Amino acid sequence: MKPDLLLVGNVSPRMRGRLDAEFTVHPLPDEPARANFLAETGPKITACCTTIGLTTEVMDALPNLKIVSSYGVGYDSIDAAHAADRGIIVTHTPNVLNDEVANTAILLWFATARKLVAYDRYVREGRWEREGAAPLTASPQNRTVGIVGLGRIGLAIAERLGVFGATVVYHSRSKKDAPYAFYPDLVEMARACDVLICITPGGPGTRHIINAEVIDALGPEGILVNVARGSVVDEAALIKALQEGRLGGAGLDVFEEEPKVPSAFFGMDNVTLQPHVGSATHATRQAMGDLTCDNLSQYLKDGTALTPVPECAHLVKR
Ligand code: NDP
């Protein structure tokens, strides 16, 4: 008899093949079928695989749940502390996406600074021929770049910045063992920077840490890049600053109400928008899927997991 697994969200055929080989897989139905399904099948479920988080309501309808394997490194859509209290191991997929997300951050900065998307439109619309050379842009060479959240991905971003002659500085709650200047005060760092790149976790601890004061400190020539979570930036304050010319530009992969994006951004040539695709390449998504399944396989083998989130690390005795 294979153990019963709750599947939340969509997975690739490769992931589904691995899950089916080891578990009896039960996709979580939408309402109105969900309540009956949880009442009938919930007590059998011992494992969960999710690509879109797990509500506490669903988690608590699974009395025998032992592991939640989450696809992605950010896990702000799972209450991991609550899971840990219940003895449930939550795992995520750190490191395998560092390079991809770091590349996305650089891409967004460069595209915004050099107006890649706006100038692509300039060519396609025939404006080059009609109006002549496009206006000059700000150089991304030799800039001061502040990383907000110098963790795994933040460090991968910092490594790339040397090639562009950047002075790298960072802000986080604690000083790291890293060769970059640390700013305990985010406003002070923003004042010293040409570019701010946000790559912290989401959730209540980082909600709106990029606020009007930080944006004003970055200033009319400054560029904000957000590859963290939409909740990290006060989007209304950002839009107002861009409309009033108090910020130079923004490169955004994530938004407060995804997939809804404020239409105020659509007419702005100094803004580059991406649909939360920081890690979204075939190779990286496959590596994330493999690690998500590896965590579940490891749990079946010996009750441990490869990459538990910090809140659950004590539950994994390896
Ligand atoms: P890490 O845990 O390695 O790094 C997070 C960093 O953020 C740490 O340096 C931490 O330092 C800092 N941090 C945490 N809270 C705060 C705070 N309140 N203020 C300032 N700094 C803070 O995580 P990863 O680098 O692996 O991933 C970071 C995040 O990137 C993910 O949680 C996710 O939200 C996002 N992400 C986005 C993707 C996308 O597609 N756009 C893809 C992958 C990840 P300290 O504890 O000292 O504060």
Side-chain angles (χ1 to χ4, degrees):
M1 280 277 284
K2 289 192 265 188
D4 293 276
L5 175 137
L6 179 72
L7 177 59
V8 184
N10 296 319
V11 293
S12 66
R14 178 183 171 106
M15 282 180 77
R16 184 61 197 253
R18 280 196 57 184
L19 297 177
D20 282 333
E22 292 188 299
F23 296 91
T24 301
V25 176
H26 304 272
L28 179 66
D30 290 331
E31 296 293 6
R34 182 173 294 184
N36 269 349
F37 163 84
L38 288 173
E40 280 169 22
T41 311
K44 289 200 295 190
I45 300 287
T46 54
C48 171
C49 175
T50 178
T51 56
I52 54 170
L54 184 66
T55 64
T56 304
E57 195 186 354
V58 172
M59 192 192 297
D60 285 348
L62 311 172
N64 295 306
L65 185 63
K66 298 286 184 287
I67 181 164
V68 178
S69 184
S70 181
Y71 172 90
V73 70
Y75 55 97
D76 43 311
S77 51
I78 301 173
D79 187 341
H82 177 68
D85 283 345
R86 281 193 47 199
I88 300 166
I89 301 167
V90 177
T91 68
H92 63 155
T93 61
N95 294 318
V96 293
L97 41 60
N98 293 353
D99 289 336
E100 212 70 74
V101 182
N103 291 344
T104 303
I106 303 289
L107 178 70
L108 276 170
W109 167 30
F110 271 55
T112 305
R114 301 300 313 273
K115 294 202 182 329
L116 184 76
V117 177
Y119 283 178
D120 176 274
R121 223 169 14 238
Y122 193 82
V123 175
R124 287 171 201 250
E125 289 171 356
R127 292 179 61 194
W128 187 14
E129 208 178 326
R130 281 199 313 276
E131 299 173 32
L136 303 183
T137 55
S139 173
Q141 198 66 31
N142 302 324
R143 299 285 141 186
T144 299
V145 181
I147 299 179
V148 185
L150 193 76
R152 290 171 292 249
I153 302 170
L155 277 170
I157 295 170
E159 280 164 16
R160 283 155 172 75
L161 291 173
V163 176
F164 309 118
T167 300
V168 180
V169 299
Y170 73 99
H171 166 77
S172 50
R173 290 167 304 178
S174 60
K175 190 173 188 302
K176 313 292 174 198
D177 183 17
Y180 312 113
F182 171 56
Y183 280 85
D185 186 317
L186 180 51
V187 174
E188 202 184 309
M189 180 168 91
R191 209 171 285 130
C193 285
D194 302 297
V195 182
L196 270 196
I197 301 180
C198 301
I199 187 63
T200 62
T206 54
R207 187 178 148 72
H208 288 188
I209 58 171
I210 306 296
N211 56 21
E213 199 187 355
V214 173
I215 292 169
D216 279 334
L218 189 55
E221 308 297 325
I223 290 179
L224 175 72
V225 172
N226 187 11
V227 284
R229 285 289 182 265
S231 58
V232 172
V233 174
D234 180 342
E235 215 163 64
L238 172 63
I239 289 169
K240 198 157 181 290
L242 287 163
Q243 284 169 336
E244 294 172 1
R246 289 185 284 111
L247 182 70
L252 307 170
D253 185 44
V254 288
F255 303 88
E256 286 203 75
E257 310 238 329
E258 291 172 16
K260 288 196 186 111
V261 175
S263 57
F265 287 131
F266 297 167
M268 296 178 178
D269 273 0
N270 52 348
V271 173
T272 311
L273 306 170
Q274 288 284 285
H276 198 152
V277 288
S279 67
T281 64
H282 293 295
T284 294
R285 288 292 170 88
Q286 183 170 310
M288 290 163 61
D290 287 349
L291 184 50
T292 305
C293 294
D294 289 346
N295 270 306
L296 291 163
S297 301
Q298 189 66 41
Y299 182 76
L300 289 186
K301 235 181 262 164
D302 62 7
T304 70
L306 302 173
T307 50
V309 303
E311 290 87 337
C312 299
H314 64 285
L315 299 171
V316 175
K317 295 178 197 71
R318 295 179 57 77

